[in-house]
Amino acid sequence: MKKLLFSAFILVLLGVSTSVKAQGQYKSALGIRLGNTNGITFKTFVNNKDAVELIGSFRYDGFGLTGLYEVHGRAFNSRDFNWFIGGGGHVYVWGDKRPGFLDRDQTTVLGLDGILGLEAYARTIPLAVSLDWKPAINIINYSSFWADEIALSVRYTF
């Protein structure tokens, strides 16, 4: 199941493209996300202020896939900094090392996510760095609120 989700993530990642650049910045970016849940992040802009972000993450000996729609705006009156806010959903499939609060039959969880962050774009090198907070509410198979998702993302832009 983990391999199937990861393969689906890669296919979606490769299939998403656009020709519009965000606020004069970059079109798409791929990189790593470091925090309580580490993983891979891909962001692409659908117009000059709206982006779609996909996050493949690893936690509790399992794999998660999160899809987010984000609205970006200039921060600090600078073309190199953006704030962003958005929302979306997630699915997590956990392995045997899942948390003790989950029943042994609960290996898949579905829920909703929010995101709030700040991103810096380095114009001299193709790099974007962001810091964000991504709270989540699990709805199906386990009801809970997770507020511990603070992460640093470093992405190669293209």
Side-chain angles (χ1 to χ4, degrees):
M1 183 64 162
K2 288 185 227 179
K3 289 180 183 178
L4 178 64
L5 282 174
F6 186 73
S7 297
F9 171 72
I10 296 299
L11 286 175
V12 169
L13 182 82
L14 294 174
V16 176
S17 66
T18 181
S19 61
V20 179
K21 291 192 176 186
Q23 308 226 355
Q25 292 189 354
Y26 62 88
K27 177 178 119 179
S28 299
L30 176 67
I32 59 171
R33 180 176 168 86
L34 304 170
N36 284 345
T37 303
N38 298 318
I40 302 165
T41 172
F42 174 76
K43 184 185 284 192
T44 191
F45 283 85
V46 295
N47 61 40
N48 67 349
K49 68 174 187 163
D50 299 329
V52 174
E53 183 174 1
L54 300 172
I55 301 169
S57 55
F58 306 95
R59 189 175 194 176
Y60 300 134
D61 194 33
F63 179 79
L65 181 61
T66 303
L68 299 163
Y69 189 85
E70 301 169 351
V71 176
H72 289 243
R74 273 207 183 140
F76 312 119
N77 201 22
S78 170
R79 65 183 186 156
D80 296 330
F81 288 93
N82 278 336
W83 56 263
F84 57 93
I85 189 168
H90 68 261
V91 59
Y92 286 100
V93 179
W94 289 315
D96 290 334
K97 294 181 184 175
R98 63 186 163 275
F101 54 79
L102 292 173
D103 292 338
R104 282 296 175 222
D105 295 333
Q106 293 173 315
T107 58
T108 304
V109 196
L110 298 171
L112 300 173
D113 296 75
I115 193 161
L116 174 65
L118 182 66
E119 180 174 71
Y121 174 60
R123 292 184 180 280
T124 55
I125 56 174
L127 194 67
V129 178
S130 66
L131 180 65
D132 66 64
W133 176 52
K134 188 179 76 61
I137 298 172
N138 292 312
I139 298 172
I140 297 176
N141 274 347
Y142 179 71
S143 297
S144 68
F145 175 70
W146 287 349
D148 66 345
E149 286 286 324
I150 295 174
L152 177 72
S153 296
V154 179
R155 298 181 194 92
Y156 171 76
T157 62
F158 50 96

